């Protein structure tokens, strides 16, 4: 299994459509080139921003295939394989491995939700096992799934149960939980921070990689946040975070 740690920014790209609702796969090459030009390190495809759960299985597989085929080998493609049904999640995971994606991510079932953390761990273990050669990331996004178990509890239970567990895409504001996950087993797992508007807070707790929708169009600003932070200029990092947030605020509204 390929194990690595993501560094820098990973965009959650939009899925493009024609006016009639059909996929516009021809746009993906331009998306990949634009992201690479802006020094984005990879893409998390068919996730929340990419509207993965609104696509058919065939559409999701087509999108993933074109991203992997189009992007430069150094540009890492993580495929979201989340689905309401375990068998479909497993099929998407196996497909991602077949097309040689860099990794897969999966969030909690969000219609019939897991009642206990053990249920969530077993679900993720079954999905991860369908692509044993790929790093598996648990995608924690309670705002969309309604499942808000502490991730540190997930890691405690999953660490010895999911051999290809690589880390977590952490899209939540519970920074105490995030910090505990960063420290878990001496920093063994890759914690990808998923709240763009508070990226600096994630960096201060040890994040080295981040996944977000706004990296599609304001990546240079966030790279300045990271550069200032890593150079030790915290005041400048705060100013750069405020600058990008000023751009994002009207968009979010």
């Amino acid at each position: 299994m390929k194990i690595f740690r993501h560094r820098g920014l990973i965009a959650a790209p939009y899925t493009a459509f024609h006016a009639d609702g059909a996929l516009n796969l021809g746009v993906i090459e331009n998306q990949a080139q634009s992201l690479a030009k802006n020094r984005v390190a990879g893409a998390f495809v068919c996730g929340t921003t990419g509207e993965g759960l609104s696509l058919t299985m065939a559409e999701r597989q087509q999108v993933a295939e074109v991203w992997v085929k189009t992007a430069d080998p150094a540009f890492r493609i993580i495929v979201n394989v989340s689905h309401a049904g375990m068998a479909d999640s497993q099929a998407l995971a196996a497909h991602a491995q077949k097309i040689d994606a860099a990794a897969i991510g999966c969030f909690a079932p969000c219609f019939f939700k897991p009642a206990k953390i053990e249920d969530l761990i077993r679900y993720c273990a079954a999905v991860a096992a369908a692509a044993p050669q790929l790093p598996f990331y648990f995608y924690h996004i309670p705002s969309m799934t309604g499942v808000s178990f502490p991730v540190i509890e997930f890691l405690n239970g999953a660490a010895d149960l999911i051999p290809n567990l690589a880390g977590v895409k952490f899209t939540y504001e519970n920074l105490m939980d995030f910090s505990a996950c960063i420290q878990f087993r001496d920093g063994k797992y890759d914690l990808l921070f998923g709240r763009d508007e508070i990226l600096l807070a994630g960096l201060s707790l040890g994040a080295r990689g981040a996944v977000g929708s706004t990296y599609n169009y304001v990546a240079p600003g966030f790279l300045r946040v990271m550069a200032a932070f890593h150079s030790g200029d915290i005041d400048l990092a705060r100013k750069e975070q405020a600058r990008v947030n000023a751009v994002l605020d009207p968009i979010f509204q």
Side-chain angles (χ1 to χ4, degrees), residues 104-245:
I104 56 173
C106 184
F107 53 61
C110 52
F111 189 81
F112 292 109
K113 300 176 179 64
K116 300 179 294 184
I117 189 70
E118 293 81 7
D119 298 333
L120 175 60
I121 292 169
R122 282 194 293 268
Y123 183 93
C124 288
V127 175
Q133 299 305 312
L134 292 186
F136 174 86
Y137 285 82
F138 172 55
Y139 182 3
H140 184 56
I141 182 165
S143 62
M144 300 301 289
T145 64
V147 178
S148 57
F149 299 119
V151 181
I152 189 61
E153 292 184 9
F154 175 87
L155 290 180
N156 271 310
D160 297 321
L161 189 64
I162 304 177
N164 53 332
L165 178 63
V168 179
K169 179 183 181 296
F170 195 104
T171 307
Y172 197 36
E173 295 77 21
N174 188 336
L175 298 181
M176 184 175 179
D177 189 27
F178 181 77
S179 178
C181 294
I182 286 278
Q183 300 300 324
F184 181 71
R185 294 198 177 180
D186 296 321
K188 177 180 179 179
Y189 292 102
D190 192 16
L191 271 291
L192 301 175
F193 198 68
R195 280 286 184 241
D196 314 4
E197 61 273 26
I198 54 171
L199 174 61
L200 182 55
L203 295 174
S204 73
L205 294 173
R208 293 294 177 266
V211 180
S213 59
T214 68
Y215 307 148
N216 286 292
Y217 47 88
V218 285
F222 282 103
L223 289 171
R224 289 193 293 270
V225 173
M226 298 183 83
F229 175 80
H230 291 307
S231 72
D233 194 337
I234 302 303
D235 285 340
L236 178 58
R238 290 175 182 145
K239 290 177 182 177
E240 294 293 353
Q241 179 78 69
R243 283 183 65 190
V244 290
N245 285 358

Side-chain angles (χ1 to χ4, degrees), residues 1-63:
M1 182 190 67
K2 299 176 289 186
I3 283 291
F4 45 72
R5 291 185 180 276
H6 292 283
R7 294 291 182 264
L9 303 179
I10 299 168
Y14 298 90
T15 300
F17 300 91
H18 292 289
D20 64 358
L23 290 176
N24 186 356
L25 298 173
V27 171
I28 292 176
E29 183 174 5
N30 288 337
Q31 288 177 292
Q33 291 176 354
S34 175
L35 292 173
K37 182 179 179 180
N38 282 321
R39 295 188 294 132
V40 173
F44 187 90
V45 304
C46 290
T48 304
T49 303
E51 301 179 83
L53 264 65
S54 297
L55 304 179
T56 67
M57 290 281 288
E59 287 173 331
R60 291 174 69 170
Q61 290 173 342
Q62 289 176 59
V63 171

